[in-house]
Short mmCIF file of all heavy atoms in Angstrom, two decimals:
data_model
loop_
_atom_site.label_atom_id
_atom_site.label_comp_id
_atom_site.label_asym_id
_atom_site.label_seq_id
_atom_site.Cartn_x
_atom_site.Cartn_y
_atom_site.Cartn_z
N GLY A 26 198.82 59.99 19.26
CA GLY A 26 198.82 59.06 18.16
C GLY A 26 199.61 59.72 16.91
O GLY A 26 199.14 59.73 15.72
N SER A 27 200.81 60.21 17.25
CA SER A 27 201.65 60.79 16.17
C SER A 27 202.85 59.96 15.77
O SER A 27 203.69 60.48 15.09
CB SER A 27 202.02 62.26 16.51
OG SER A 27 202.50 62.31 17.83
N THR A 28 202.81 58.66 16.16
CA THR A 28 203.87 57.84 15.69
C THR A 28 203.58 57.30 14.26
O THR A 28 204.50 56.76 13.66
CB THR A 28 204.01 56.63 16.67
OG1 THR A 28 202.68 55.98 16.81
CG2 THR A 28 204.58 57.01 17.92
N SER A 29 202.35 57.55 13.81
CA SER A 29 201.97 57.05 12.37
C SER A 29 200.79 57.87 11.92
O SER A 29 200.23 58.61 12.64
CB SER A 29 201.77 55.54 12.36
OG SER A 29 200.58 55.24 13.03
N GLY A 30 200.49 57.51 10.62
CA GLY A 30 199.27 58.08 10.02
C GLY A 30 198.96 59.52 10.07
O GLY A 30 199.98 60.37 9.92
N ILE A 31 197.77 59.93 10.28
CA ILE A 31 197.29 61.29 10.26
C ILE A 31 198.15 62.14 11.28
O ILE A 31 198.49 63.29 11.08
CB ILE A 31 195.85 61.35 10.59
CG1 ILE A 31 195.01 60.63 9.44
CG2 ILE A 31 195.34 62.79 10.70
CD1 ILE A 31 193.65 60.28 9.96
N GLY A 32 198.27 61.55 12.55
CA GLY A 32 198.89 62.26 13.59
C GLY A 32 200.39 62.55 13.25
O GLY A 32 200.83 63.66 13.59
N HIS A 49 203.29 61.56 20.57
CA HIS A 49 202.74 60.53 21.47
C HIS A 49 202.41 59.29 20.68
O HIS A 49 201.91 59.35 19.61
CB HIS A 49 201.57 60.99 22.26
CG HIS A 49 200.67 59.85 22.80
ND1 HIS A 49 199.57 59.41 22.07
CD2 HIS A 49 200.81 59.07 23.91
CE1 HIS A 49 199.00 58.37 22.67
NE2 HIS A 49 199.82 58.16 23.78
N GLY A 50 202.51 58.12 21.44
CA GLY A 50 202.08 56.86 20.89
C GLY A 50 202.54 55.79 21.88
O GLY A 50 202.90 56.07 22.99
N ARG A 51 202.55 54.50 21.45
CA ARG A 51 203.03 53.47 22.30
C ARG A 51 204.47 52.95 21.80
O ARG A 51 205.21 52.48 22.54
CB ARG A 51 202.09 52.22 22.35
CG ARG A 51 200.89 52.44 23.16
CD ARG A 51 199.86 51.36 22.75
NE ARG A 51 199.60 51.36 21.33
CZ ARG A 51 198.81 50.46 20.66
NH1 ARG A 51 198.27 49.60 21.35
NH2 ARG A 51 198.72 50.55 19.35
N ASP A 52 204.59 53.09 20.56
CA ASP A 52 205.78 52.43 19.83
C ASP A 52 206.99 53.42 19.94
O ASP A 52 207.09 54.43 19.33
CB ASP A 52 205.46 52.20 18.38
CG ASP A 52 206.53 51.49 17.62
OD1 ASP A 52 207.72 51.68 17.96
OD2 ASP A 52 206.15 50.86 16.63
N ALA A 76 202.41 56.37 26.01
CA ALA A 76 201.33 56.07 26.96
C ALA A 76 200.38 55.15 26.21
O ALA A 76 200.00 55.44 25.04
CB ALA A 76 200.64 57.35 27.41
N ASP A 77 199.93 54.12 26.89
CA ASP A 77 198.98 53.23 26.32
C ASP A 77 197.59 53.70 26.70
O ASP A 77 197.27 53.69 27.96
CB ASP A 77 199.18 51.76 26.80
CG ASP A 77 198.19 50.76 26.09
OD1 ASP A 77 197.24 51.20 25.47
OD2 ASP A 77 198.47 49.57 26.25
N PHE A 78 196.68 54.06 25.79
CA PHE A 78 195.45 54.63 26.12
C PHE A 78 194.44 53.63 26.64
O PHE A 78 193.34 53.93 26.97
CB PHE A 78 194.85 55.43 24.93
CG PHE A 78 195.37 56.82 24.80
CD1 PHE A 78 196.44 57.32 25.55
CD2 PHE A 78 194.79 57.70 23.91
CE1 PHE A 78 196.86 58.56 25.50
CE2 PHE A 78 195.22 59.03 23.83
CZ PHE A 78 196.25 59.46 24.59
N ALA A 79 194.82 52.36 26.63
CA ALA A 79 193.97 51.30 27.19
C ALA A 79 194.25 51.18 28.71
O ALA A 79 193.68 50.22 29.36
CB ALA A 79 194.16 49.98 26.47
N ASN A 104 194.13 62.69 18.80
CA ASN A 104 194.02 61.98 17.51
C ASN A 104 194.17 60.45 17.72
O ASN A 104 193.64 59.71 16.88
CB ASN A 104 195.05 62.54 16.55
CG ASN A 104 195.31 61.71 15.33
OD1 ASN A 104 194.44 61.71 14.47
ND2 ASN A 104 196.35 60.91 15.41
N ALA A 105 194.89 60.01 18.73
CA ALA A 105 195.12 58.56 18.89
C ALA A 105 193.83 57.80 18.85
O ALA A 105 192.87 58.19 19.48
CB ALA A 105 195.95 58.30 20.11
N GLY A 106 193.85 56.69 18.19
CA GLY A 106 192.65 55.81 18.24
C GLY A 106 192.66 54.91 17.04
O GLY A 106 193.61 54.88 16.32
N GLY A 107 191.55 54.21 16.98
CA GLY A 107 191.49 53.21 15.79
C GLY A 107 190.29 52.38 15.88
O GLY A 107 189.40 52.53 16.77
N PHE A 109 189.17 48.69 16.66
CA PHE A 109 189.80 47.54 17.39
C PHE A 109 188.76 46.40 17.43
O PHE A 109 187.84 46.26 18.23
CB PHE A 109 190.07 47.95 18.78
CG PHE A 109 190.96 49.18 18.95
CD1 PHE A 109 190.50 50.45 19.29
CD2 PHE A 109 192.28 49.11 18.51
CE1 PHE A 109 191.29 51.59 19.33
CE2 PHE A 109 193.17 50.23 18.53
CZ PHE A 109 192.56 51.47 18.94
N VAL A 125 189.63 53.60 24.64
CA VAL A 125 190.78 54.15 23.92
C VAL A 125 190.37 55.42 23.20
O VAL A 125 191.05 56.47 23.17
CB VAL A 125 191.43 53.15 23.05
CG1 VAL A 125 192.48 53.77 22.14
CG2 VAL A 125 192.03 51.97 23.87
N THR A 150 190.09 64.13 16.64
CA THR A 150 189.86 63.38 15.32
C THR A 150 188.67 62.38 15.51
O THR A 150 188.78 61.41 16.20
CB THR A 150 191.16 62.52 14.97
OG1 THR A 150 192.20 63.37 15.05
CG2 THR A 150 190.92 61.95 13.56
N SER A 151 187.58 62.74 14.86
CA SER A 151 186.37 61.99 14.81
C SER A 151 186.33 61.23 13.50
O SER A 151 187.42 60.86 12.93
CB SER A 151 185.13 62.85 15.06
OG SER A 151 183.94 62.02 15.02
N SER A 152 185.11 60.97 12.95
CA SER A 152 185.06 60.28 11.68
C SER A 152 183.61 60.46 11.12
O SER A 152 182.65 60.60 11.94
CB SER A 152 185.32 58.77 11.85
OG SER A 152 184.95 58.04 10.70
N TYR A 177 182.98 51.26 17.12
CA TYR A 177 183.83 52.24 16.56
C TYR A 177 182.94 53.45 16.28
O TYR A 177 183.27 54.61 16.68
CB TYR A 177 184.53 51.73 15.33
CG TYR A 177 185.29 52.86 14.64
CD1 TYR A 177 186.54 53.26 15.26
CD2 TYR A 177 184.88 53.44 13.45
CE1 TYR A 177 187.27 54.26 14.60
CE2 TYR A 177 185.65 54.51 12.88
CZ TYR A 177 186.85 54.91 13.46
OH TYR A 177 187.62 55.91 12.96
N LYS A 181 183.27 57.34 17.82
CA LYS A 181 183.47 58.61 16.99
C LYS A 181 182.32 59.55 17.16
O LYS A 181 182.49 60.74 17.08
CB LYS A 181 183.68 58.13 15.51
CG LYS A 181 184.94 57.42 15.29
CD LYS A 181 186.17 58.20 15.43
CE LYS A 181 187.28 57.68 16.26
NZ LYS A 181 188.41 58.53 16.39
N HIS A 208 186.46 65.09 10.56
CA HIS A 208 186.56 63.84 9.83
C HIS A 208 187.72 63.92 8.85
O HIS A 208 187.72 64.88 7.98
CB HIS A 208 185.26 63.51 9.04
CG HIS A 208 185.43 62.38 8.03
ND1 HIS A 208 185.68 61.15 8.34
CD2 HIS A 208 185.22 62.49 6.60
CE1 HIS A 208 185.81 60.42 7.27
NE2 HIS A 208 185.59 61.19 6.17
N PRO A 209 188.75 63.02 8.91
CA PRO A 209 189.87 63.23 8.08
C PRO A 209 189.74 62.77 6.63
O PRO A 209 190.67 62.98 5.83
CB PRO A 209 190.96 62.35 8.79
CG PRO A 209 190.20 61.35 9.52
CD PRO A 209 188.79 61.95 9.86
N GLY A 210 188.68 61.94 6.32
CA GLY A 210 188.57 61.26 5.03
C GLY A 210 188.83 59.80 5.31
O GLY A 210 189.19 59.35 6.43
N ALA A 211 188.60 58.91 4.32
CA ALA A 211 188.93 57.54 4.43
C ALA A 211 190.31 57.32 3.67
O ALA A 211 190.31 57.64 2.46
CB ALA A 211 187.87 56.73 3.83
N ILE A 212 191.26 56.82 4.40
CA ILE A 212 192.55 56.90 3.80
C ILE A 212 193.06 55.49 3.48
O ILE A 212 193.39 54.73 4.50
CB ILE A 212 193.52 57.63 4.78
CG1 ILE A 212 192.93 59.08 5.02
CG2 ILE A 212 194.91 57.68 4.36
CD1 ILE A 212 193.37 59.72 6.39
N SER A 215 196.25 54.05 5.37
CA SER A 215 196.39 54.23 6.76
C SER A 215 196.22 52.94 7.52
O SER A 215 195.64 51.98 7.03
CB SER A 215 195.33 55.18 7.31
OG SER A 215 194.07 54.63 7.20
N GLY A 216 196.92 52.82 8.72
CA GLY A 216 196.72 51.67 9.64
C GLY A 216 195.24 51.42 9.85
O GLY A 216 194.81 50.29 9.90
N PHE A 217 194.56 52.50 10.01
CA PHE A 217 193.11 52.35 10.38
C PHE A 217 192.37 51.58 9.27
O PHE A 217 191.63 50.63 9.55
CB PHE A 217 192.54 53.73 10.51
CG PHE A 217 191.02 53.66 10.59
CD1 PHE A 217 190.35 53.29 11.75
CD2 PHE A 217 190.20 54.02 9.50
CE1 PHE A 217 189.00 53.20 11.84
CE2 PHE A 217 188.86 53.87 9.54
CZ PHE A 217 188.16 53.45 10.72
N VAL A 218 192.53 51.98 8.03
CA VAL A 218 191.83 51.26 6.95
C VAL A 218 192.25 49.81 6.76
O VAL A 218 191.53 48.89 6.46
CB VAL A 218 191.85 52.10 5.65
CG1 VAL A 218 191.39 51.22 4.43
CG2 VAL A 218 190.94 53.39 5.72
N1 LIG B 401 192.48 56.51 8.42
C1 LIG B 401 191.22 56.72 8.18
O1 LIG B 401 190.66 56.35 7.06
C2 LIG B 401 190.45 57.38 9.27
C3 LIG B 401 189.07 57.74 8.90
C4 LIG B 401 188.34 58.46 9.92
C5 LIG B 401 188.91 58.64 11.17
N2 LIG B 401 190.15 58.19 11.48
C6 LIG B 401 190.73 58.36 12.84
O2 LIG B 401 192.04 59.05 12.64
C7 LIG B 401 192.80 58.74 13.90
C8 LIG B 401 194.17 58.33 13.55
O3 LIG B 401 194.06 57.21 12.66
P1 LIG B 401 195.15 56.79 11.54
O4 LIG B 401 194.37 56.60 10.37
O5 LIG B 401 196.22 57.83 11.44
O6 LIG B 401 195.62 55.50 12.12
P2 LIG B 401 197.10 54.86 12.40
O7 LIG B 401 198.02 55.16 11.31
O8 LIG B 401 196.80 53.42 12.75
O9 LIG B 401 197.65 55.65 13.68
C9 LIG B 401 197.01 55.52 14.95
C10 LIG B 401 197.80 56.27 16.00
O10 LIG B 401 197.16 56.01 17.29
C11 LIG B 401 198.08 55.40 18.21
N3 LIG B 401 197.40 54.52 19.06
C12 LIG B 401 196.60 53.44 18.66
N4 LIG B 401 196.12 52.73 19.66
C13 LIG B 401 196.67 53.34 20.83
C14 LIG B 401 196.63 53.08 22.22
N5 LIG B 401 195.98 52.04 22.68
N6 LIG B 401 197.30 53.88 23.07
C15 LIG B 401 198.01 54.90 22.54
N7 LIG B 401 198.13 55.27 21.22
C16 LIG B 401 197.42 54.51 20.42
C17 LIG B 401 199.16 54.78 17.36
O11 LIG B 401 200.32 54.78 18.12
P3 LIG B 401 201.16 53.41 18.46
O12 LIG B 401 201.02 52.48 17.28
O13 LIG B 401 202.60 53.99 18.61
O14 LIG B 401 200.61 53.00 19.71
C18 LIG B 401 199.23 55.67 16.11
O15 LIG B 401 200.12 56.75 16.43
C19 LIG B 401 191.99 57.76 14.68
O16 LIG B 401 191.32 58.40 15.73
C20 LIG B 401 190.93 57.21 13.68
O17 LIG B 401 189.69 56.80 14.26
C21 LIG B 401 190.92 57.60 10.53
#
Side-chain angles (χ1 to χ4, degrees):
S27 46
T28 50
S29 67
I31 297 160
H49 157 264
R51 289 164 302 175
D52 185 330
D77 185 349
F78 275 12
N104 167 76
F109 306 109
V125 171
T150 309
S151 178
S152 169
Y177 177 73
K181 293 289 132 179
H208 165 63
I212 299 157
S215 68
F217 168 78
V218 166

